[in-house]
Amino acid sequence: QKEVEQNSGPLSVPEGAIASLNCTYSDRGSQSFFWYRQYSGKSPELIMSIYSNGDKEDGRFTAQLNKASQYVSLLIRDSQPSDSATYLCAATGFQKLVFGTGTRLLVSP
Amino acid sequence: DAGVIQSPRHEVTEMGQEVTLRCKPISGHNSLFWYRQTMMRGLELLIYFNNNVPIDDSGMPEDRFSAKMPNASFSTLKIQPSEPRDSAVYFCASSPWQGSGNSPLHFGNGTRLTVT
């Protein structure tokens, strides 16, 4: 079992819709969770971090964490074609960050 | 802030040759990570350093891979001899050390390695 699992997609949504990206993790000791966005041919860039149960909002992005279910999600409201990218979920165990393989999001105009 | 700097951006080499990838972390960051990214396996952690000391190298695939961090501003990842299955994008990342692993990573632009 991979430590961090994501559906590879692609997830296709029309412009203006809400995109919902999901992630599960296996290490119950994980304390910190991150969402990175990676455009094709580029390096990952951090877009959200979340450390406690519940929701965290930043602009059009909302991260949700449920430690009991070992589940992390990212909602993107009012999706734009520029949001088309691969979204990587990452979780920390002890001093180490482990990534999922990413979900490819396609936002059509 | 110049960000994490990696070189070269692209490397094409023949099987059996030695390859050296270089990384300069963000000044003041105490942790440095080397990742490998492929379509099949995603981002895999190879090794990470804290204060120039290797902490976990369990991700290094085999003895052909070695990494060093001689000082706080420089690290190398060496593959000797290289094989076609080593073809991937290699990322270096750094973070300010906070002990609990709460620090997000700052990635370099990566080195795309092709071994023929």
Side-chain angles (χ1 to χ4, degrees), chain A residues 61-82:
Chain A
F61 299 99
T62 298
Q64 299 174 317
L65 174 60
N66 184 325
K67 290 187 178 180
S69 301
Q70 296 176 245
Y71 179 89
V72 191
S73 65
L74 178 70
L75 301 177
I76 306 175
R77 290 181 298 281
D78 188 23
S79 296
Q80 302 297 308
S82 59

Side-chain angles (χ1 to χ4, degrees), chain B residues 38-76:
Chain B
T38 61
M39 289 291 292
M40 291 299 296
R41 301 173 68 90
L43 265 173
E44 300 175 281
L45 178 63
L46 301 177
I47 185 171
Y48 78 93
F49 296 83
N50 181 32
N51 291 327
N52 313 337
V53 176
I55 302 300
D56 185 347
D57 65 354
S58 59
M60 297 286 262
E62 46 199 274
D63 291 346
R64 297 184 297 106
F65 286 69
S66 63
K68 295 182 179 179
M69 192 165 185
N71 57 62
S73 59
F74 184 66
S75 177
T76 60

Side-chain angles (χ1 to χ4, degrees), chain A:
Chain A
Q1 179 187 8
K2 290 186 69 69
E3 295 181 61
V4 178
E5 295 206 46
Q6 297 179 256
N7 187 316
S8 62
L11 172 66
S12 296
V13 300
E15 183 175 358
I18 296 175
S20 178
L21 304 164
N22 304 313
C23 168
T24 59
Y25 61 95
S26 61
D27 184 357
R28 284 198 171 274
S30 294
Q31 301 171 10
S32 307
F33 305 87
F34 304 93
W35 283 98
Y36 285 79
R37 178 177 61 200
Q38 187 175 25
Y39 292 111
S40 180
K42 302 296 185 183
S43 59
E45 57 178 330
L46 179 70
I47 54 172
M48 287 288 288
S49 60
I50 187 166
Y51 307 110
S52 55
N53 280 329
D55 295 0
K56 179 181 178 183
E57 186 174 321
D58 184 0
R60 295 187 297 112
F61 299 99
T62 298
Q64 299 174 317
L65 174 60
N66 184 325
K67 290 187 178 180
S69 301
Q70 296 176 245
Y71 179 89
V72 191
S73 65
L74 178 70
L75 301 177
I76 306 175
R77 290 181 298 281
D78 188 23
S79 296
Q80 302 297 308
S82 59
D83 295 326
S84 298
T86 296
Y87 289 80
L88 303 169
C89 174
T92 56
F94 180 67
Q95 301 176 354
K96 195 163 73 170
L97 192 62
V98 179
F99 285 84
T101 53
T103 298
R104 187 175 170 213
L105 174 65
L106 298 175
V107 182
S108 54

